[in-house]
Amino acid sequence: MSERPRRIAVLSVHTSPLAQPGTGDAGGMNVYVLQTALELARRNVEVEIFTRATSSADEPVVQAAPGVLVRNVVAGPFEGLDKHDLPTQLCPFSAEVLRQEARQLPGYYDLIHSHYWLSGQVGVLARDRWRVPQVHTAHTLAAVKNAYLAEGDSPEPAAREVGEKQLTMEADRLIANTSDEARQLAAYYGADPDRIDVVLPGADLTRYRPGDRAAARAEFGLAADEQIVAFVGRIQPLKAPDVLVRAAAEVLYAQPDRRLRVLIVGGPSGSGLERPHALMDLAAELGIADRVTFLPPQPPQRLVQVYRAADLVAVPSYNESFGLVAIEAQAAGTPVLAAHVGGLGTAVRDNRTGLLVDGHGTGDWAAALRSLLDDPDRLRAMRAAAAEHAAGFSWAHTADGLLDSYGRALAGYRRADSRATGTVSAESQARSRALWRRRAG
Ligand code: UDP
């Protein structure tokens, strides 16, 4: 059996595992950090999650579950700081992480797992001080995001690309959500494939299960006899809820009497089409305002009812490192109509558990909607296949994959334990020199 850590420090600067996902900067990463922590704790690995306090009401330390502590670090003003301002707060954040460890007995943490590039920067500092390995998950890559930008969306800053590239080199192991993402890490950032572990994310399969559709609809006051296509997630250009609204409008132009409803669940995030009312304006402009229902972000116990209420869940994103919503919807027995991008190609089995659509053209999306909604037998078969497919994605499975990666990180670290500070510094400086020289060339 591979070596496993007793206690790990999880760094999650901008995503608190205790925040409600589906709005602002809170999304799949929050769910990921919390769910994997719970599973690791069940495997007797203690988890301490460091995140930035975003409210004066945040307690310094919160016990999220047995074996899972959330440390709310004060770094900068509680409110009003956007994700893009956070690089300015990495020093105070790092200082507090280091102080926290310094109050403990030596060797308190066995390993650092950092999430997203901001946390990765803190991780590099801490792992050198603590002499422990760092495992890093990027979650999304700026270079990839910039290559698949939605129209009118602003590109990710160059500083983020630089940071991600440095981490690709510095972290002891890198976790990719899919083999596609592993390839992207190598292609865009020159990551060494031998240091990448592919670990699929999951869904809470005890929560997201098929259930009674009529009861789910009644809970939200939705009609029993309408066809419902739901979008769930942060309302931002990258997630492209407008693609669904336009496609539904096209379907309804051709058949105005058709009983079709679009259900949008989530809150504003990012720039551009970020306000739900901009999406409401679009629906009004297209003449289908009465066919679109908006719901604010929902907690998991209500979200499962949204998935059950829908005939289809649409995930039209321009890029998606994985797309937890696609797995959750399928786990609840609802087929998914998704853009054929990133991790969605893994999350959805084309033609079996849903459809993958190439591009974002209104005509293509309208045709895909019709082809599924007009074929109840096909939809029924997909419902069963969707639940079966999703059963292969559990957080328990993800945690096992993480433990394997941690084991490799620890074993590799032990071998290289001659890492006296001087050696680390010389190696790291040489790597950086090579990296930026390559870049300049
Ligand atoms: N989510 C939620 N309530 C909402 C909308 C979304 O709890 O109203 C959660 C959803 O269950 C999923 C996460 O937010 O786990 C979104 O993850 P995904 O990977 O689909 O997108 P991301 O936000 O990471 O881009």
Side-chain angles (χ1 to χ4, degrees):
M1 204 173 89
S2 68
E3 200 173 342
R4 60 162 59 188
R6 287 160 306 140
R7 184 184 297 110
I8 66 170
V10 170
L11 306 179
S12 183
V13 174
H14 83 291
T15 48
S16 168
L18 304 177
Q20 165 66 56
T23 189
D25 285 332
M29 210 185 326
N30 305 57
V31 175
Y32 188 108
V33 169
L34 180 63
Q35 293 296 330
T36 53
L38 297 177
E39 286 295 338
L40 288 168
R42 279 185 201 120
R43 286 158 179 71
N44 295 321
V45 177
E46 278 182 48
V47 181
E48 296 199 2
I49 305 168
F50 291 84
T51 190
R52 200 180 78 86
T54 52
S55 157
S56 56
D58 286 345
E59 293 290 337
V61 185
V62 178
Q63 172 123 34
V68 181
L69 279 194
V70 178
R71 295 191 180 276
N72 290 307
V73 174
V74 179
F78 296 113
E79 277 148 35
L81 277 192
D82 172 69
K83 191 166 73 177
H84 298 297
D85 300 323
L86 289 183
T88 64
Q89 296 308 316
L90 292 183
C91 279
F93 191 94
S94 304
E96 191 46 41
V97 169
L98 295 178
R99 283 181 203 133
Q100 183 52 46
E101 191 264 356
R103 284 187 205 114
Q104 313 290 347
L105 292 172
Y108 191 69
Y109 300 111
D110 292 328
L111 180 139
I112 295 170
H113 188 167
S114 49
H115 294 270
Y116 197 68
W117 76 282
L118 295 169
S119 312
Q121 308 290 316
V122 181
V124 171
L125 193 66
R127 67 105 201 244
D128 279 358
R129 294 293 297 235
W130 303 348
R131 311 270 300 268
V132 298
Q134 177 186 13
V135 175
H136 179 70
T137 310
H139 288 278
T140 59
L141 302 174
V144 177
K145 256 183 140 165
N146 288 343
Y148 296 93
L149 270 192
E151 209 183 298
D153 203 357
S154 12
E156 289 296 312
R160 179 176 162 191
E161 280 197 39
V162 170
E164 287 178 345
K165 203 161 188 175
Q166 285 166 330
L167 276 164
T168 299
M169 237 184 9
E170 287 287 338
D172 294 86
R173 295 210 70 81
L174 298 164
I175 301 221
N177 283 333
T178 61
S179 43
D180 215 40
E181 196 174 66
R183 271 192 296 277
Q184 289 169 338
L185 271 167
Y188 285 91
Y189 292 139
D192 168 8
D194 290 342
R195 281 195 300 120
I196 306 176
D197 295 311
V198 175
V199 181
L200 291 171
D204 181 352
L205 299 176
T206 56
R207 168 90 57 200
Y208 297 109
R209 296 181 275 121
D212 186 56
R213 183 191 296 181
R217 288 193 175 193
E219 203 169 315
F220 297 102
L222 296 163
D225 64 341
E226 284 184 328
Q227 292 190 309
I228 296 178
V229 184
F231 166 92
V232 173
R234 294 177 286 157
I235 298 176
Q236 54 174 207
L238 180 82
K239 296 271 175 193
D242 53 310
V243 169
L244 171 61
V245 171
R246 286 180 210 282
E250 185 162 311
V251 170
L252 286 165
Y253 288 153
Q255 293 167 281
D257 296 332
R258 188 179 182 118
R259 305 272 295 152
L260 174 64
R261 175 159 303 278
V262 171
L263 180 61
I264 307 271
V265 182
S269 166
S271 59
L273 241 186
E274 79 277 33
R275 300 155 299 135
H277 57 87
L279 207 55
M280 290 173 193
D281 291 349
L282 176 69
E285 248 169 60
L286 295 167
I288 61 161
D290 58 335
R291 306 299 192 96
V292 184
T293 299
F294 288 86
L295 290 176
Q298 301 290 314
Q301 64 275 21
R302 294 263 294 169
L303 192 55
V304 61
Q305 295 291 66
V306 168
Y307 294 135
R308 288 171 180 164
D311 294 278
L312 272 178
V313 167
V315 188
S317 313
Y318 283 90
N319 181 46
E320 201 66 71
S321 128
F322 186 70
L324 296 183
V325 159
I327 289 295
E328 293 165 2
Q330 292 172 90
T334 305
V336 174
L337 183 59
H340 198 174
V341 295
L344 291 170
T346 304
V348 178
R349 290 194 60 193
D350 195 19
N351 260 318
R352 283 203 21 88
T353 70
L355 279 186
L356 292 170
V357 184
D358 286 320
H360 295 83
T362 304
D364 295 334
W365 277 79
L369 275 180
R370 265 191 235 101
S371 80
L372 290 181
L373 295 175
D374 290 346
D375 193 343
D377 289 343
R378 191 170 173 214
L379 260 189
R380 205 169 304 115
M382 281 184 170
R383 291 180 81 84
E388 209 176 290
H389 172 60
F393 295 83
S394 67
W395 289 117
H397 193 246
T398 308
D400 290 338
L402 293 184
L403 280 180
D404 285 345
S405 182
Y406 297 166
R408 276 183 215 118
L410 287 165
Y413 204 77
R414 240 12 115 244
R415 272 199 305 280
D417 201 20
S418 54
R419 289 172 164 253
T421 317
T423 324
V424 172
S425 164
E427 279 173 9
S428 155
Q429 285 288 292
R431 280 200 303 266
S432 298
R433 201 175 284 277
L435 174 73
W436 302 123
R437 196 182 288 133
R438 249 197 336 265
R439 191 181 163 88

